[in-house]
Each structure stands twice: as C-alpha cells, then as structure tokens.
Amino acid sequence: MSELSTSLVEALLVAAKEAKQQSYSPYSHFAVGAALLCEDGTIFTGCNIENASYGLTNCAERVAIQSAVAAGQRSFQAIAIVGDSIGPCMPCGACRQVLAEFKVPMVHCETKSGVRSAYSLDELLPHSFGPDDL
Ligand code: THU
C-alpha cells in the first residue's frame, strides 16, 4: 500500500467537506461527508442520508462506496471522513465491514478544528471476515 501525498489527502478531505454539506440528517443533526479515492484517481463522495425509519439510515462512507461500485469501480486507495464531532469521525462497525469488503486500505479523518489522523483498515477491523474467507 503506497502512502498518499499530502496534496491528495488534502484534496480528499476538501471533497469530503463539500459532500458533508449535502447531508440529509434531520434526526441526528449530525452531518457526515466522505470522499473515496479510487485506484484510477477518481473521487466519489457521499453524505449520510437518514430516514424516518431510523435503521434505514445510510452512512456517508457507504453512500460513497456504493456510488463508486455502481459506477464500475472495484479498487480503492483511501477514504476521507469528516463529521461534526470534536474528535475524528470514525467509521461505524457496519461501514468498517463494507470498507473491508472492498479492501479500502486507509481512512483519513479531519476534526472540525482541523486535526488530521489516519488509520489502516487493519487497525480499524483486525481479524476481519471478508471475501477471501469464502
Ligand atoms: N454516520 C456516518 O455517516 N458515518 C459515520 O462514520 C458515523 C455515523 C452518520 C449516521 C447518522 O446519520 C449520523 O451519523 C449519526 O449517527
């Protein structure tokens, strides 16, 4: 896994912050944006989309991944996630499993105050069950 350049991380975080503006979150009022960098350099974005039937909510990460996969992308370099929490907006358990399905190797976060952090998928979901186990 090659490390992303600072400018690429910057571009990904900017795209995630733009996507966050589209968040549909009338129930939690917690807006999240994500930007997924494909192997070929294309960026797909997503925001969280909530539902009056709360359990049907889609997280920003999964919206980005589903858009990319629906457009034919299958190979990914990294995803950026931004939310309104004080700390980094970490992917939920369901999103970690979906990140594992598509082997998204790195997660980049930025807090509201601009503090950046990065995590490998292995750190976030150790001993995972995935497509290689079937
Ligand atoms: N959410 C995301 O979109 N991504 C995350 O990483 C954490 C949580 C959304 C789901 C819900 O719309 C809101 O944040 C509060 O949980």
Side-chain angles (χ1 to χ4, degrees):
M1 173 209 329
S2 60
E3 217 172 278
L4 291 192
S5 66
T6 312
S7 59
L8 211 38
V9 172
E10 173 70 24
L12 215 49
L13 286 166
V14 166
K17 283 182 257 187
E18 273 173 26
K20 183 162 86 77
Q21 292 174 24
Q22 305 303 330
S23 167
Y24 176 76
S25 43
Y27 307 107
S28 73
H29 304 288
F30 185 77
V32 183
L36 178 67
L37 180 65
C38 304
E39 199 57 55
D40 68 2
T42 312
I43 293 175
F44 283 81
T45 60
C47 60
N48 55 331
I49 303 173
E50 299 187 343
N51 193 282
S53 178
Y54 297 166
L56 297 183
T57 291
N58 278 315
C59 290
E61 300 91 311
R62 277 178 286 150
V63 171
I65 292 170
Q66 286 159 7
S67 298
V69 171
Q73 298 286 348
R74 291 290 185 277
S75 192
F76 306 102
Q77 301 188 52
I79 192 166
I81 310 166
V82 295
D84 283 338
S85 44
I86 292 168
C89 182
M90 302 300 290
C92 75
C95 287
R96 292 179 197 208
Q97 184 66 31
V98 175
L99 291 168
E101 180 71 26
F102 292 101
K103 299 185 169 64
V104 181
M106 285 300 297
V107 173
H108 293 267
C109 298
E110 187 181 290
T111 67
K112 263 176 99 172
S113 60
V115 177
R116 293 182 182 180
S117 52
Y119 312 86
S120 71
L121 180 64
D122 284 346
E123 267 180 281
L124 297 177
L125 194 65
H127 311 291
S128 62
F129 179 79
D132 299 339
D133 295 307
L134 295 173

